Amino acid sequence: MKNMYITTGTLEYLQKLKENVSNENTLLLEGKDHVMLLHETNGATVFQEPRRYEVLDAVGELGGAFAVLNNIPVTDEGRPLFEYRFSQRARLIEKEPGFVAIRVLRPLSNDTYIIMTLWEGEEHFKNWQRSKAYEKAHERRNAANQEEQQTIFPRPSYVTTYTVVQQS
């Protein structure tokens, strides 16, 4: 099974670090408040103290121009149900114009799963959010009862967005 390692730092530092890792397995992301480098591999990473994840589901290659990370805290008891629901997902996003890739990441050192989608541009993601396919993909989430939500999710989820930094 592949792993995803994530580390943060300055843009200059992470660009230098990226040079030491195979380019096709890395992605440098710049957000409003910070920069992060992702390394997807079957083996070890060169990162000193990364956040570690198992890749539960992967479609497409790392790339694109815009990244959306849905960060979802899940209780230990809720993990099996959460993972089962994602294994049963409708897979409609893969058919959206501008879709590049998706990664469903299981945390190995914290409680927050990451659902990362990569897009050709921000406008493609926004079009997905306005689509009927998006409504269908998220209808189960909206139908879940409140008590179950509190049992599985200890805190609210949050979304972070990034631009993909292209190497010069």
Side-chain angles (χ1 to χ4, degrees):
M1 177 170 288
K2 282 192 175 187
N3 286 323
M4 179 76 74
Y5 300 96
I6 301 174
T7 194
T8 57
T10 66
L11 180 59
E12 297 77 23
Y13 172 76
L14 293 179
Q15 283 175 323
K16 286 180 183 166
L17 186 57
K18 188 176 189 304
E19 293 171 7
N20 296 323
V21 184
S22 172
N23 275 344
E24 65 273 2
N25 297 328
T26 61
L27 199 62
L28 185 57
L29 303 176
E30 187 170 19
K32 189 170 66 172
D33 299 326
H34 69 282
V35 180
M36 64 188 209
L37 182 60
L38 290 76
H39 179 209
E40 184 176 63
T41 181
N42 287 322
T45 185
V46 298
F47 298 170
Q48 294 294 319
E49 295 183 31
R51 288 183 284 153
R52 299 175 25 230
Y53 298 85
E54 280 182 312
V55 179
L56 295 180
D57 190 7
V59 175
E61 298 298 320
L62 295 181
F66 186 71
V68 179
L69 280 67
N70 192 355
N71 303 271
I72 308 170
V74 179
T75 63
D76 286 342
E77 299 80 18
R79 283 178 173 234
L81 179 59
F82 181 80
E83 291 179 17
Y84 173 76
R85 285 185 181 162
F86 259 95
S87 73
Q88 302 300 306
R89 69 185 179 85
R91 300 192 176 273
L92 298 172
I93 195 169
E94 288 95 330
K95 298 177 179 102
E96 282 299 305
F99 169 83
V100 174
I102 186 171
R103 295 295 185 274
V104 177
L105 305 176
R106 173 195 290 147
L108 298 176
S109 53
N110 62 53
D111 70 349
T112 304
Y113 285 74
I114 296 176
I115 313 307
M116 178 176 65
T117 55
L118 300 167
W119 301 88
E120 290 176 9
E122 184 176 3
E123 69 280 3
H124 295 288
F125 171 70
K126 288 183 175 181
N127 289 340
W128 156 247
Q129 285 186 304
R130 292 187 289 264
S131 72
K132 293 287 184 196
Y134 179 89
E135 283 181 34
K136 178 144 181 65
H138 293 88
E139 68 188 359
R140 258 195 241 160
R141 175 180 71 179
N142 297 335
N145 71 43
Q146 197 65 21
E147 184 178 315
E148 182 181 88
Q149 295 280 355
Q150 292 171 343
T151 304
I152 295 175
F153 306 112
R155 304 179 298 290
S157 63
Y158 60 97
V159 174
T160 51
T161 59
Y162 301 86
T163 56
V164 176
V165 178
Q166 302 300 328
Q167 288 294 98
S168 49

